[in-house]
Amino acid sequence: MTWLITGGAGYIGAHVARAMAEAGERVVALDDLSAGMPDRLPESIPLVQGSSLDGDLLKRVLAEYGITGVVHLAARKQVGESVADPTRYYQENVGGLATLLAAVAGAGVERFVFSSSAAVYGNPDVDLITEDTPCAPMSPYGETKLAGEWLVRAAGRAHGIATVCLRYFNVAGAASPELADTGIFNIVPMVFDRLTRGEAPRIFGDDYPTPDGTCVRDYIHVADLAEAHLAAARRLTDGASGDLTVNIGRSEGVSVRELMTLIAEVTGNTVRPLVEPRRPGDAPRAVASAALAADELGWSARREVREMVESAWRGWLLHHPEITGA
């Protein structure tokens, strides 16, 4: 088996590429480097610079490296940006996926893992979100992920491609400091960024029907997420057919205020969070049922939220040496 990982130099992609390579899988990364960083990957993993929208490049890569399976992570993923520029999101997330699947089918590749998102569910009023919870995405980003799942399954049926769709919940942490998330679009680095600039972190709404009034979320360590991709790839390598869609989470809820308290403990910065009005579309609670992933992939998360925050903070300090004066 040789796996092509699109978005392989990104925050999540590099974790997946490394985890699979360290487990003995042959891996090739494809990344347009709009957000990816080449130095996240060891020299042993070939990196091809390019886009999943480039059909001719994809055909060459699939043939040159003898690709037998694909893990597709390349996508735009900012909810607010997707609202402001939905056509770009549909073009890159759905159009890029369609171009990739056409190349995959043409090359006779029979295994495909798709990076999806809990954003497909929208705002369900349930204690635990299962894979049977109705999907009602509330942003163009979530819509592109749901449409992507439909396309992956349809292409799988049409071309005999065995597929797995992984619906991520809230990803945080780093397997090592150099692999940390350098963006400020997820909650943990967003809080780090505000603390670093001497500003109070923000809580959007403290009047939700939750124990402390703030939103409750399911956080997953990116290293656990990478292991879930490896488990999905191994499932397909072992000859599984058809399609599978599973949640990737811990089945444990953590409130925003609890997360802020933990971040203060880890960083030593006790600036009191600023409570602001609710943001439109925020669900009071979004926690995964991860039972199906355990049953079908033999996978379950092993790392706790404190480890996510501590590892993310070590990465933040590495990428922001001005904080420590290094």
Side-chain angles (χ1 to χ4, degrees), residues 64-188:
E64 178 181 348
Y65 290 97
I67 301 298
T68 50
V70 173
V71 179
H72 181 52
L73 295 103
R76 304 199 68 82
K77 60 175 186 177
Q78 298 177 39
V79 170
E81 183 183 60
S82 78
V83 174
D85 196 355
T87 54
R88 184 181 186 186
Y89 268 67
Y90 272 86
Q91 179 183 30
E92 295 197 22
N93 290 7
V94 181
L97 174 60
T99 303
L100 176 60
L101 284 168
V104 163
V109 176
E110 298 179 342
R111 301 164 185 87
F112 197 95
V113 179
F114 177 58
S115 163
S116 189
S117 167
V120 301
Y121 293 114
N123 188 359
D125 184 16
V126 294
D127 185 51
L128 287 179
I129 297 173
T130 74
E131 291 78 4
D132 294 327
T133 299
C135 292
M138 300 181 67
S139 69
Y141 166 69
E143 292 167 2
T144 65
K145 286 300 184 181
L146 183 57
E149 289 186 9
W150 294 338
L151 181 54
V152 166
R153 296 186 196 109
R157 291 190 296 269
H159 302 291
I161 304 169
T163 65
V164 178
C165 296
L166 303 178
R167 291 174 173 170
Y168 311 168
F169 278 66
N170 297 268
V171 185
S176 58
E178 68 273 14
L179 296 182
D181 190 358
T182 57
I184 53 172
F185 307 110
N186 296 322
I187 185 170
V188 173

Side-chain angles (χ1 to χ4, degrees), residues 26-302:
R26 291 191 296 273
V27 171
V28 177
L30 174 75
D31 202 297
D32 66 7
L33 302 183
S34 59
M37 299 164 56
D39 57 4
R40 283 184 169 133
L41 294 171
E43 293 183 359
S44 60
I45 296 179
L47 172 61
V48 179
Q49 184 173 352
S51 168
S52 56
L53 287 162
D54 188 339
D56 290 337
L57 173 64
L58 293 172
K59 292 175 185 176
R60 290 198 301 272
V61 170
L62 293 173
E64 178 181 348
Y65 290 97
I67 301 298
T68 50
V70 173
V71 179
H72 181 52
L73 295 103
R76 304 199 68 82
K77 60 175 186 177
Q78 298 177 39
V79 170
E81 183 183 60
S82 78
V83 174
D85 196 355
T87 54
R88 184 181 186 186
Y89 268 67
Y90 272 86
Q91 179 183 30
E92 295 197 22
N93 290 7
V94 181
L97 174 60
T99 303
L100 176 60
L101 284 168
V104 163
V109 176
E110 298 179 342
R111 301 164 185 87
F112 197 95
V113 179
F114 177 58
S115 163
S116 189
S117 167
V120 301
Y121 293 114
N123 188 359
D125 184 16
V126 294
D127 185 51
L128 287 179
I129 297 173
T130 74
E131 291 78 4
D132 294 327
T133 299
C135 292
M138 300 181 67
S139 69
Y141 166 69
E143 292 167 2
T144 65
K145 286 300 184 181
L146 183 57
E149 289 186 9
W150 294 338
L151 181 54
V152 166
R153 296 186 196 109
R157 291 190 296 269
H159 302 291
I161 304 169
T163 65
V164 178
C165 296
L166 303 178
R167 291 174 173 170
Y168 311 168
F169 278 66
N170 297 268
V171 185
S176 58
E178 68 273 14
L179 296 182
D181 190 358
T182 57
I184 53 172
F185 307 110
N186 296 322
I187 185 170
V188 173
M190 284 177 64
V191 174
F192 290 168
D193 178 61
R194 291 187 69 85
L195 292 175
T196 299
R197 292 189 284 113
E199 300 177 6
R202 294 179 293 179
I203 294 175
F204 294 99
D206 64 351
D207 58 349
Y208 286 95
T210 60
D212 65 15
T214 66
C215 293
V216 173
R217 295 290 182 265
D218 191 337
Y219 296 94
I220 177 76
H221 196 296
V222 66
D224 283 327
L225 177 60
E227 291 170 3
H229 285 80
L230 175 62
R234 290 278 169 85
R235 180 182 195 272
L236 298 180
T237 302
D238 290 342
S241 60
D243 61 82
L244 174 68
T245 299
V246 295
N247 292 333
I248 302 299
R250 294 172 57 251
S251 300
E252 295 182 18
V254 177
S255 76
V256 172
R257 191 172 293 281
E258 289 172 332
L259 184 64
M260 296 287 186
T261 299
L262 180 55
I263 290 174
E265 293 175 4
V266 169
T267 64
N269 192 318
T270 57
V271 175
R272 186 180 181 87
L274 177 66
V275 177
E276 297 189 356
R278 294 185 183 189
R279 293 181 302 189
D282 276 349
R285 177 181 172 86
V287 179
S289 166
L292 189 61
D295 291 342
E296 294 289 343
L297 301 180
W299 172 91
S300 59
R302 298 186 291 115

Side-chain angles (χ1 to χ4, degrees), residues 3-15:
W3 291 89
L4 176 66
I5 302 179
T6 69
Y11 165 52
I12 296 174
H15 278 89

